[in-house]
């Protein structure tokens, strides 16, 4: 039933017309990896806020289960501002997801001109990342029926294909190919229609569901309205890290604090030291704006294969 309900949700979403573009802005290409314009330094109102005529970002911090966590509220003007980038763009702006390159999230975000970014699904690990579709390009279909796929369509709407098999995915692609923007393969779905769908005893050894660790998620709150969530982990003094159940509770609560209906969808991304929220702030020592890791900022960065990020349209 859950798979059927989610498929209906996706199919209904994909029938919508593309979102209207705010007056005066040119959208970014949605079928290649061109980066957004460089965000204006004036747009960074503080170490937790960015705003210009096309995007607003505000980051909040709280604590739950003996762990600090951070959640960002993002509103954009056009679906093309929700983007993804492979680590290879650090060395080459024309890099694609065909190449298995890794780099620090701060460096990928800087190369992409991200306003704010979060780690992706670590697509280079083919044994765990069975499906790769990025900005309308299909790279891999090894769907095995064991994971939930996050679908982002050309309207910027999020939905989930649950326990997706290779045949099920092929049929879905054949029916909806033109409307598919990005598909990520990690999961699982953790919040739907404002409520956590993860029971307290949930077991998923492939993502260490019972392990207290760093975690990351992306959520949709409304049309072109999103939330990113990242936690500290046990490597940061004074932090325990969260089980998946605890993290789902955090995402449910944070979504309701930002939108009265909470999260339409919240989806678990790669965790552990891969979990990274990236934002730009002033570095007093250098006197310049620098990309910084928001969560677990006291530990070294792990090299990642990809990020999800939000871009400005203001040139």
């Amino acid at each position: 039933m859950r798979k059927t309900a989610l498929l209906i949700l996706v199919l209904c979403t994909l029938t919508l017309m593309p979102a209207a573009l705010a007056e005066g802005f040119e959208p970014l290409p949605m079928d290649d990896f061109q980066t957004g314009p460089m965000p204006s330094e004036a747009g960074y109102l503080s170490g937790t806020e960015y705003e210009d005529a096309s995007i607003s970002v505000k980051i909040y911090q709280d604590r739950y289960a003996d762990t600090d966590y951070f959640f960002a509220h993002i509103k954009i003007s056009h679906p093309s501002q929700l983007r993804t980038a492979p680590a290879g763009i650090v060395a080459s702006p024309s890099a694609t997801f065909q190449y298995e390159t890794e780099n620090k999230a701060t460096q990928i975000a800087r190369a992409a001109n991200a306003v704010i970014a979060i780690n992706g699904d670590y697509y280079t690990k083919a044994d765990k990342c069975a499906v790769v579709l990025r900005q309308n390009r299909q790279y891999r279909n090894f769907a095995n029926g064991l994971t939930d796929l996050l679908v982002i369509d050309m309207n910027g709407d999020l939905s989930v294909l649950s326990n997706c098999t290779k045949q099920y995915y092929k049929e879905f692609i054949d029916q909806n190919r033109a409307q598919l923007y990005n598909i990520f393969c990690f999961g699982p779905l953790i919040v739907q229609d404002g409520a956590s769908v993860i029971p307290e005893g949930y077991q998923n050894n492939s993502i260490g569901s019972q392990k207290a660790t760093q975690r990351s998620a992306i959520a949709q709150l409304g049309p072109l309205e999103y939330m990113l969530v990242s936690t500290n982990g046990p490597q940061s003094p004074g932090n325990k890290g969260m089980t998946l159940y605890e993290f789902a509770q955090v995402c449910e609560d944070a979504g309701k604090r930002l939108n009265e209906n909470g999260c339409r969808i919240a989806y678990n991304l790669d965790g552990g030291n891969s979990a990274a929220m990236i934002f730009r702030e002033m570095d007093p020592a250098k006197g310049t704006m620098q990309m910084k890791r928001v969560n677990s900022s006291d530990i070294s960065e792990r090299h990642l294969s990809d990020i999800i990020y939000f871009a400005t349209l203001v040139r």
Side-chain angles (χ1 to χ4, degrees):
M1 289 295 293
R2 179 176 159 199
K3 178 189 290 187
T4 302
L6 290 171
L7 179 57
I8 291 171
L9 172 63
V10 173
L11 296 177
C12 290
T13 300
L14 295 178
T15 61
L16 299 176
M17 295 298 291
L21 181 61
E23 185 176 355
F25 295 121
E26 180 181 347
L28 298 169
M30 297 182 74
D31 58 356
D32 66 25
F33 297 99
Q34 177 179 317
T35 66
M38 174 67 74
S40 166
E41 288 193 9
Y44 287 91
L45 307 179
S46 70
T48 59
E49 292 182 82
Y50 179 92
E51 186 171 357
D52 66 28
S54 71
I55 181 173
S56 67
V57 176
K58 188 168 183 178
I59 301 172
Y60 301 86
Q61 180 178 352
D62 210 332
R63 189 170 175 83
Y64 180 76
D66 297 324
T67 303
D68 294 326
Y69 67 94
F70 305 84
F71 57 107
H73 190 195
I74 301 136
K75 294 182 179 181
I76 57 177
S77 301
H78 190 267
S80 65
Q81 293 174 266
L82 169 51
R83 307 184 70 74
T84 184
I89 69 166
V90 174
S92 171
S94 61
T96 73
F97 284 83
Q98 287 179 303
Y99 303 100
E100 296 189 355
T101 304
E102 297 179 3
N103 219 311
K104 292 180 178 179
T106 50
Q107 294 177 332
I108 307 171
R110 181 166 55 248
N113 291 334
V115 174
I116 187 170
I118 201 166
N119 60 284
D121 59 5
Y122 224 126
Y123 78 95
T124 56
K125 294 185 176 180
D127 58 329
K128 292 187 177 181
C129 191
V131 174
V132 178
L133 188 146
R134 296 294 187 268
Q135 293 190 205
N136 206 242
R137 298 186 192 182
Q138 176 75 50
Y139 292 96
R140 182 187 300 152
N141 175 15
F142 300 149
N144 54 22
L146 301 177
T147 56
D148 293 349
L149 306 183
L150 175 68
V151 177
I152 305 178
D153 69 24
M154 299 295 278
N155 295 307
D157 289 328
L158 276 57
S159 55
V160 170
L161 299 180
S162 183
N163 300 324
C164 188
T165 64
K166 189 169 185 176
Q167 182 59 32
Y168 175 45
Y169 179 75
K170 182 181 183 302
E171 293 170 358
F172 176 77
I173 287 287
D174 290 345
Q175 294 172 14
N176 302 291
R177 184 67 183 84
Q179 290 297 318
L180 300 180
Y181 184 32
N182 285 295
I183 294 180
F184 294 90
C185 182
F186 204 88
L189 170 72
I190 55 178
V191 179
Q192 183 179 17
D193 297 331
S196 168
V197 296
I198 301 297
E200 189 165 4
Y202 179 81
Q203 292 281 352
N204 186 333
N205 292 334
S206 68
I207 60 166
S209 61
Q210 295 294 316
K211 182 180 179 181
T213 188
Q214 292 170 221
R215 300 198 181 269
S216 284
I218 182 171
Q220 183 175 14
L221 304 176
L224 302 182
E225 181 184 7
Y226 306 92
M227 180 177 72
L228 302 178
V229 188
S230 275
T231 78
N232 284 359
Q235 291 176 293
S236 297
N239 290 270
K240 175 182 71 67
M242 295 187 190
T243 66
L244 190 68
Y245 170 76
E246 291 168 338
F247 187 53
Q249 296 297 308
V250 158
C251 292
E252 175 185 328
D253 177 70
K256 289 177 179 176
R257 290 159 68 177
L258 299 179
N259 183 297
E260 63 180 4
N261 296 316
C263 301
R264 291 182 176 180
I265 292 287
Y267 181 85
N268 183 60
L269 294 167
D270 195 6
N273 199 18
S274 297
M277 182 186 294
I278 308 299
F279 195 64
R280 194 185 303 261
E281 63 181 38
M282 180 61 68
D283 185 331
K286 297 181 179 180
T288 57
M289 300 292 289
Q290 300 289 324
M291 284 294 186
K292 300 288 186 179
R293 181 167 164 168
V294 176
N295 66 306
S296 296
S297 58
D298 55 342
I299 65 176
S300 60
E301 285 190 71
R302 175 181 290 173
H303 282 61
L304 307 180
S305 63
D306 58 318
I307 61 169
I308 299 170
Y309 73 98
F310 291 85
T312 180
L313 295 179
V314 178
R315 291 171 167 82

